[in-house]
Amino acid sequence: MQPHKIVSREEWVAARTDLMVREKEFTQAREALSRERRELPWVKVDKDYVFDGPKGEITLGELFKGRPQLVVQHIMFAPEWDAACKHCSFWADGLDRTVAHLAARDTTMAAISRAPLAKLEAFKRRMDWTFDWVSSGNNEFNFDYAVSFSREQMDKGEARYNFGTTPPYGDELPGISVFYRDETGDVFHTYSTFARGLDMMNAAYQYLDLTPLGRHEEGLPYPMDWVRLRDQYQPAPVQASCCHS
């Protein structure tokens, strides 16, 4: 870390207050953007998606659990993989304690991946997760919502990730999609976000952004190279004492 300017408490408060003006502007801009997000038009879901769940087959409409809103976390887990993507798991680690709060606001959370249910269940036990997680291995859901791409799409350069703004770097990619179910049972796709649009949903990153070192990803082969599955981090080395006996 580069040497940092050290000031009195009074100077720090003045500098912090100046920065807060920018933070308030950012908050207001974020609130305005959220309003625009809610005002987006919807697309009716015409396909009858059926997923493989712990209690058998379950439809997209049934995933709502009687609530009007459904947030889907697209967790990267291809059928041939033995574990979910470590980066998606970084996000998924924060889902369990969020589910109850979302439910209190008429919103259900579920994860969907293409891997067979047996693999999802085994990995879920390993990670000690309890959120709903179903397999879309027998339908086109992941492909239709642009988080999975066929080999043909990849070879022909036809894969369009993040609405064509981000080059796809694999045939399985992360995302979040949102759906609404009306009183007649019709389901509508209202929103999706991908790539850096997922940052705001990762609490660990938001906390790191408050610290002097930030995400501390400079110099890595790629920004998230440091991330591991939660049970794969090595214990932090003990810092040497500055004093000797």
Side-chain angles (χ1 to χ4, degrees), residues 76 81 147-151 154 159 161 167-174:
M76 296 165 58
W81 297 357
V147 289
S148 295
F149 305 97
S150 68
R151 178 46 50 192
M154 295 294 290
Y161 181 58
Y169 47 89
D171 51 13
E172 291 286 324
L173 294 171

Side-chain angles (χ1 to χ4, degrees), residues 85-109:
C85 162
K86 64 177 184 177
H87 301 140
C88 290
S89 298
F90 182 28
W91 267 254
D93 276 335
L95 298 184
D96 272 337
R97 297 302 179 260
T98 302
V99 170
H101 298 290
L102 293 178
R105 304 312 301 156
D106 300 319
T107 303
T108 300
M109 167 69 77

Side-chain angles (χ1 to χ4, degrees), residues 73 91 95 176 193 197-203 206:
Q73 187 86 30
W91 267 254
L95 298 184
I176 294 173
T193 190
L198 303 175
D199 270 19
M200 62 181 178
M201 312 311 297
N202 189 309
Q206 305 311 311

Side-chain angles (χ1 to χ4, degrees), residues 47-52 58-60 63 79 112-114 134-145 148:
K47 287 190 178 181
D48 296 322
Y49 295 106
V50 178
F51 305 94
D52 190 12
I58 183 170
T59 66
L60 180 61
L63 283 178
I112 297 178
S113 304
R114 288 202 305 128
V134 299
S135 171
S136 60
N138 294 322
N139 63 48
E140 298 298 308
F141 183 82
N142 276 46
F143 298 96
D144 291 345
Y145 290 93
S148 295

Side-chain angles (χ1 to χ4, degrees), residues 8 24 66 92 99-100 111 114 126 146 199 205 229:
S8 67
K24 287 181 178 292
V99 170
R114 288 202 305 128
R126 172 182 167 183
D199 270 19
Y205 262 158
L229 295 176

